[in-house]
Structure formats: structure tokens, C-alpha cells
Amino acid sequence: MIQFDSKELSSSELEGLNAHFQERIDAEEKIEPKDWMPEKYRKNLIRQISQHAHSEVIGMQPEGNWITRAPTLHRKAVLLAKVQDEAGHGLYLYSSAETMGITREELIESLHDGSAKYAQIFNYPTLSWADMGAIGWLVDGAAIVNQVSLQRTSYGPYARSMVRICKEESFHQRQGYHILMTLMEGSTEQKAMAQDAVNRFWWPSLMMFGPHDADSAHSAQSMKWKVKRQTNDELRQKFVDQSVEQAEAIGLTLPDPDLVWNEERGHFDFGEIDWAEFDRVVSGSGHCNRERVAHHRRAHDEGSWVRDAICAYEEKKRSREVA
């Protein structure tokens, strides 16, 4: 990575570098790891990519909990494959973050000590099999809406990792929708289970896009640097618009009495999110915050022997090559 100590640069030199960097962004050039970049750009991307990676990995827990309890062998196999995909997504993203000069150990430590965040929705419990459908349809659906635009983000490694992730997430969304569709074709109890899952996951899914644009600490700068291509509110609106028709197609009702088509805007109006709940969950006081992080920390510690073995093998391999 080509960087300069800002202390060694005059204000005019630094201003010139920043101006040239913004010119490259405006010209739709991809920024690569060895390119000069403002320190704030680097830190902003590390924050966003690491949060994304942590979300993929923590998100394995609520779904992994249902692998052995899925209703058929086919459903077990499909859910297992999905959870494996999420692990792969986390690895792609951790690798992307590492190209910016931060280590995997630092990324994991920031998750464990609470200084790094992950998507608040993974701190909600999964109470029934229908929740696997709601997560696939709503949570992965919201992720796709956000991540499709990230395929054009200004940082090359991040943009390229999103191409494969989006392809796999589209399968996950269809898997979840199929679970709910099957339940809605079943008994009265199965229909009620599907509706209950949607009722619980609808509002947390809307929270996944983050605060309103006016309240977001990072959106404006991220848009200028083209790290993000659409604002939080634009993405949330797109998700709502597509979800209404999908819900109606299989007989589900979205739990929002204020949800109504606005002919003038050409979009659905919808109710206000409970931002107090959002802040509470993000700050660590959700239903499963402590449980999720404690589980990850325990698994990380128990797997230390694997990492030690890999390091020992690589060291032995290098010694042989030198000899």
C-alpha cells in the first residue's frame, strides 16, 4: 500500500493528493490497495467492510441453530449450504479489509471488544422454522438491495468481492421465499407460523439500512467517495416497494397499518421505525447480543489450535524451501 505520512507533507501537497484522489473517484476509477488514499477513506472502508464481514459470520448462528431441526433432509442440506456460503462471504470480506493494512486478528478483536458493530438483526432470536423463511426472504432480500449497488463501490477489492456474494445471496432469498410460500400453502397453523415470523422480522429488516440520511454520521462522505451509491433512505424505499408485491403474491400481510401506495411519489408510504429499539440493539442490549458475541469468542478460542497448526506448517514449509 502506497501511503505517505501526513506529517511529512505540506498542506498544499496533501491538498493536491486529496484533489487528485477525488478526481479519480469522480472519473469512476477503482481505487486499489497500492494506490494513495486519504486516511479517512481507509478508516471508513475498514469500518464498513469489517461490519459487513462480522454480520455475515454472526449471521450464521441464528440459522445454524435450525440445521438439525429442519423439517426434511432436503431442507437440512439446503440450509447447511447456505450457512457455509455465509462463512465464505465473511472470508471474502475479511480479506478485502486486510488489503487496507489491518490484520485479521485486529478485526476479530474489535468484534469481541464491542468496538466494531454488525447488523442488528442478527441479535433477534429464531423461534420457529418459519424464521428461516423470513430471514431468507426479508434479511437476505434487504442485504441484496444494499449489496447490488456495492458492486460499483469505489474500492476495487470490495466491489469484486460483492459480485460473487450477490449471486449467492439471490439464491438465499429465493430459498427463504420458498419456505414461506410452502408454509402459506399448508395448514392454518403453518400459515400462522409464517405470518408470525414476518411480523417479527419486518421492522428489524427495515432497520438494516441504517438511520435516516439526515441522522447518518457516514452517509454523506461515503456518497462523495462513492463507497455508497445510494442513500439509506433510497435503499430502504426500494426494499419496501419490492416486498409489498412479493408478500401479496403468497398471501402474507406486512405488519404496518401505514403502508399505502402513494400515487404522487410512485412509491409506498410506510410507518416510522422504532429508532429507540434500533439504538438499543446496536448498542449491545438486544435479545441475543451477548449470546452471539460470547458464542463467537468461544468458537474462536476453541479453534486456536487449528490456527497454530497452520502457522507451524507454513513455518516448516518455509524452512524446507530455504534449506
Side-chain angles (χ1 to χ4, degrees):
M1 181 185 300
I2 298 175
Q3 289 290 338
F4 302 97
D5 187 341
S6 60
K7 295 179 181 178
E8 298 177 356
L9 297 171
S10 67
S11 59
S12 61
E13 288 173 326
L14 188 58
E15 184 178 341
L17 284 169
N18 278 302
H20 178 64
F21 178 82
Q22 190 61 50
E23 287 173 2
R24 294 189 62 197
I25 295 292
D26 295 339
E28 299 292 341
E29 292 184 29
K30 285 287 185 281
I31 305 302
E32 300 297 341
K34 292 184 178 181
D35 296 340
W36 184 88
M37 63 189 74
E39 183 63 14
K40 288 184 179 180
Y41 177 86
R42 188 182 77 87
K43 289 183 177 179
N44 187 38
L45 268 170
I46 289 175
R47 176 196 59 79
Q48 180 170 325
I49 298 174
S50 66
Q51 179 175 310
H52 192 167
H54 298 328
S55 299
E56 297 282 359
V57 173
I58 294 294
M60 297 166 62
Q61 293 185 40
E63 293 180 298
N65 186 42
W66 278 90
I67 291 174
T68 59
R69 296 186 286 166
T72 67
L73 180 60
H74 173 73
R75 293 293 191 190
K76 286 179 171 65
V78 173
L79 184 58
L80 176 61
K82 180 187 178 183
V83 172
Q84 289 177 316
D85 282 348
E86 307 296 4
H89 297 173
L91 292 176
Y92 302 153
L93 293 163
Y94 283 134
S95 296
S96 296
E98 286 176 305
T99 65
M100 308 203 79
I102 191 169
T103 66
R104 187 75 58 92
E105 290 74 19
E106 289 174 305
L107 293 168
I108 298 301
E109 180 58 31
S110 66
L111 171 64
H112 289 170
D113 66 21
S115 58
K117 307 297 183 184
Y118 56 88
Q120 96 297 335
I121 199 162
F122 298 119
N123 291 313
Y124 290 86
T126 47
L127 307 179
S128 73
W129 169 248
D131 288 12
M132 298 302 97
I135 288 176
W137 174 45
L138 295 175
V139 178
D140 293 326
I144 291 170
V145 168
N146 184 47
Q147 292 170 8
V148 164
S149 67
L150 288 176
Q151 292 177 107
R152 297 186 297 113
T153 191
S154 60
Y155 188 57
Y158 192 23
R160 291 188 288 273
S161 69
M162 293 312 307
V163 174
R164 180 167 180 175
I165 289 175
C166 284
K167 289 179 180 179
E168 293 177 349
E169 290 289 6
S170 66
F171 283 104
H172 300 169
Q173 184 192 29
R174 287 196 288 273
Q175 172 208 1
Y177 192 69
H178 187 264
I179 290 173
L180 293 176
M181 180 176 68
T182 302
L183 290 171
M184 292 302 291
E185 293 172 347
S187 66
T188 301
E189 291 78 8
Q190 288 172 320
K191 292 178 181 177
M193 183 169 63
Q195 185 63 61
D196 174 66
V198 171
N199 289 348
R200 286 182 286 107
F201 277 93
W202 172 248
W203 290 106
S205 296
L206 296 190
M207 296 178 194
M208 286 181 65
F209 297 97
H212 285 309
D213 298 335
D215 302 321
S216 176
H218 305 286
S219 282
Q221 186 61 68
S222 291
M223 291 288 290
K224 181 179 179 181
W225 280 329
K226 298 188 179 181
V227 172
K228 292 178 64 173
R229 294 292 185 146
Q230 291 177 283
T231 69
N232 295 350
D233 288 330
E234 288 172 344
L235 293 167
R236 188 165 20 243
Q237 182 68 69
K238 183 177 180 180
F239 173 69
V240 171
D241 290 346
Q242 73 177 31
S243 298
V244 173
E245 291 185 4
Q246 293 170 352
E248 291 176 348
I250 57 176
L252 285 165
T253 301
L254 297 178
D256 182 358
D258 296 324
L259 189 64
V260 63
W261 178 254
N262 186 318
E263 191 67 38
E264 183 178 348
R265 291 199 312 119
H267 296 286
F268 281 94
D269 292 334
F270 54 96
E272 186 61 21
I273 293 169
D274 184 349
W275 293 112
E277 177 183 347
F278 172 82
D279 291 337
R280 184 169 60 252
V281 178
V282 168
S283 65
S285 298
H287 296 283
C288 302
N289 286 68
R290 296 173 182 83
E291 175 186 332
R292 299 287 189 244
V293 175
H295 180 90
H296 188 280
R297 184 183 290 111
R298 183 168 61 253
H300 184 73
D301 291 343
E302 291 174 354
S304 62
W305 69 272
V306 178
R307 298 189 296 277
D308 292 342
I310 292 173
C311 290
Y313 172 78
E314 291 297 329
E315 181 60 34
K316 186 175 182 181
K317 184 179 178 181
R318 283 193 294 271
S319 298
R320 285 176 176 174
E321 290 174 351
V322 172

